[in-house]
Amino acid sequence: MSPEFNLIQQYFTRPSHHTNLGVGDDAALISPSAGMELAISADMLVADTHFFSDADAYSIGWKSLAVNVSDMAAMGANPKWATLAIALPEINHAWLAEFSRGLFACAKEFDVDLIGGDTTRGPLTISVQIMGEVPAGQAIKRSGAKLEDDIWVSGCLGAAATGLAHLQKKVVMPAGELQIGLAALHTPQPRVALGLALRTIANSCIDISDGLLADLGHILEASQLSARLDLALIPTLDFIHHNLQQPAFQHYLLAGGDDYELCFTAAKSNREKIVQLGQTLGLPLSRIGETCEESTENPAHIIVEFQQQTVNITKRGFDHFE
Amino acid sequence: MSPEFNLIQQYFTRPSHHTNLGVGDDAALISPSAGMELAISADMLVADTHFFSDADAYSIGWKSLAVNVSDMAAMGANPKWATLAIALPEINHAWLAEFSRGLFACAKEFDVDLIGGDTTRGPLTISVQIMGEVPAGQAIKRSGAKLEDDIWVSGCLGAAATGLAHLQKKVVMPAGELQIGLAALHTPQPRVALGLALRTIANSCIDISDGLLADLGHILEASQLSARLDLALIPTLDFIHHNLQQPAFQHYLLAGGDDYELCFTAAKSNREKIVQLGQTLGLPLSRIGETCEESTENPAHIIVEFQQQTVNITKRGFDHFE
């Protein structure tokens, strides 16, 4: 057997739970359940764009799958199968062992089968595609937001971006919150249980990968609406909250990205249900604003208010080509 | 809208044929047909490993999808959906226009919907995942070869490898065959119609991407068999055939790779059916050897004979980590 074939056998083959034929043939075979639509998404992570090459391989493995699982959560889909294509500059067995340990830790946590793989030589690049199931017609689309919907977010925003800023020596975080920030940055927790519960509650949903404003912006574009947010209501770390007068901290919170929390809209009549859902899941769900009519001149516009002032926003989120 | 979002909208969104929700949400939505299994495969192409960075972008686009379509053909699956993740060093609109033209030319030829995409900044790397359908239980696996099966290949082998050798100035091909070699190298033609027809005829099948010996080797490993081939029976260009005494040409033919023809095994009783199938498809199908029992000391062994001599084989195929 060739070394390349061995890498897949050695590091990326584990018993599967939902799969007819897994790693090792020209293709894997799966049987989606009756009455289900398949939700499919792909994300690519590039060294030194999405993670530091010298970051610990366990985290890179976890995050590679987690960001894809997060896309399933955002659709209200149950993640089940993933494929991995990875380019490696060389065969580093210690790195591969840690990377696969992180990847499979995430796979186990969310009951995802890794069903296929491709390894090749090249600059470190990781491409994961994920597939999940959602009852036909129940996926939560970006385009479903209604006028005067409440806008909600899960968890705490800005932690990953501020953790990264700390690593880049732009800020100095207190030890306790630094730990939260680095955990958010390296091992994000996709909100699958929330996504599944939101199928019958939310009108639209997205996961926050590029930053709240950029991702909420995608909901607004798809739904032809604008929005009004109250900066003070956006859930975040105390360290960020206390510094919110500074544009840099407004940026971490609104546009830093890498949050992997869900942003969703829902009718006002669902407020109580959503509060209860947050309690059931042990996950804070915060109402941060509402949708409003868009104007022709300024479509999908987001007004952010802070202490009765409008915040001046220059940059909506992280874009790899800006 | 962000530039990244625009790239997907601008270059990678076309009307879909089999898709409930295509590019533009957190995930695409598809409904597999009743009674079908889904076949899923992923391949990654890295600049200067799998193609020259300065190769024409149309060919890179075609080939990125074609090598994945070829995996569907090898399973007897009908390709239907694909996702694309691509890292680009910069936004080059002329390149993207040509790349997407090539990709969609292949998509149109094989009726594949591009249902999702991710673009990011990084060294030029293209990762495609493909999904197709096959009636439950009818996929052609590598593990199904039987003792004393005939071994068949489609088309002509060695053309792409010899075309590459010409570009690398290792050989000088005559003009007519050079054209065939470069076409095979740049715009391979996956054998989907053949794969579909082989569901009820072949016992095992693989597509030849890494070279005949390497890929036939995968069938033999999975089926616990060995094989005997006759070098003179392997269909190839006259230019290669006339030079078969030279080890370099034996290598192009047996181990050069990038052929994207199918290698399959079938019972001897199916010979006539297979010959007729080749005529129906207008695609040469050549019987090149047969499977035999493997020995414990030398499992999945391939003996290649040429003019009553055994060919000494040192390298089975292309491996990205050798």
Side-chain angles (χ1 to χ4, degrees), chain B residues 1-32:
Chain B
M1 277 193 295
S2 69
E4 182 175 343
F5 204 66
N6 260 333
L7 287 182
I8 295 173
Q9 295 281 24
Q10 193 174 346
Y11 294 110
F12 299 112
T13 309
R14 301 275 171 101
S16 62
H17 300 126
H18 336 283
T19 303
N20 307 345
L21 181 68
V23 169
D25 214 303
D26 292 293
L29 295 171
I30 64 172
S31 295

Side-chain angles (χ1 to χ4, degrees), chain B residues 33-212:
Chain B
S33 316
M36 292 288 190
E37 280 181 307
L38 272 188
I40 298 167
S41 180
D43 263 308
M44 183 178 259
L45 280 77
V46 178
D48 299 318
T49 299
H50 299 89
F51 57 87
F52 299 115
S53 323
D54 61 357
D56 88 291
Y58 179 94
S59 301
I60 299 173
W62 173 283
K63 191 167 177 175
S64 300
L65 185 57
V67 302
N68 281 278
V69 170
S70 183
D71 283 320
M72 295 291 100
M75 293 300 282
N78 196 10
K80 292 185 81 170
W81 305 279
T83 61
L84 166 74
I86 182 167
L88 300 163
E90 61 187 349
I91 300 181
N92 175 334
H93 288 285
W95 191 93
L96 276 163
E98 275 303 284
F99 175 83
S100 72
R101 200 170 66 84
L103 185 87
F104 281 108
C106 185
K108 191 178 175 196
E109 178 78 26
F110 296 98
D111 198 19
V112 171
D113 286 349
L114 187 74
I115 60 172
D118 186 28
T119 61
T120 190
R121 185 186 291 278
L124 182 56
T125 308
I126 300 152
S127 176
V128 173
Q129 165 160 321
I130 195 159
M131 287 143 287
E133 291 186 323
V134 57
Q138 287 191 28
I140 316 169
K141 300 177 188 171
R142 296 179 180 179
S143 57
K146 304 273 178 288
L147 186 64
E148 295 176 7
D149 265 2
D150 289 329
I151 299 169
W152 297 80
V153 294
S154 64
C156 157
L157 304 191
T162 315
L164 178 63
H166 179 100
L167 295 180
Q168 294 170 331
K169 302 192 192 308
K170 294 178 183 169
V171 301
V172 179
M173 292 179 80
E177 296 201 317
L178 175 59
Q179 219 173 355
I180 297 171
L182 295 182
L185 182 64
H186 294 312
T187 50
Q189 303 295 320
R191 302 305 184 188
V192 174
L194 175 61
L196 298 182
L198 288 176
R199 282 174 187 164
T200 53
I201 297 174
N203 288 332
S204 68
C205 187
I206 195 166
D207 71 316
I208 305 173
S209 54
D210 294 333
L212 173 63

Side-chain angles (χ1 to χ4, degrees), chain A residues 40-46 50-51 63-72 83-86 125-131 142 207 209-210 258 260 320, chain B residues 4 8 25-27 44 83-87 116-120 127 129:
Chain A
I40 298 168
S41 179
D43 263 308
M44 184 178 257
L45 280 77
V46 178
H50 299 89
F51 57 87
K63 192 167 177 175
S64 301
L65 185 56
V67 302
N68 281 278
V69 170
S70 183
D71 282 320
M72 295 291 100
T83 61
L84 166 74
I86 182 168
T125 308
I126 300 152
S127 177
V128 173
Q129 166 162 317
I130 195 159
M131 287 143 288
R142 297 179 180 178
D207 71 317
S209 54
D210 294 333
D258 254 357
Y260 300 104
H320 301 298
Chain B
E4 182 175 343
I8 295 173
D25 214 303
D26 292 293
M44 183 178 259
T83 61
L84 166 74
I86 182 167
D118 186 28
T119 61
T120 190
S127 176
Q129 165 160 321

Side-chain angles (χ1 to χ4, degrees), chain B residues 270-290:
Chain B
N270 281 334
R271 280 183 189 174
E272 205 174 320
K273 254 190 221 168
I274 293 170
V275 171
Q276 279 176 358
L277 176 61
Q279 287 163 355
T280 308
L281 297 174
L283 176 66
L285 300 178
S286 307
R287 188 157 51 83
I288 62 170
E290 66 173 351

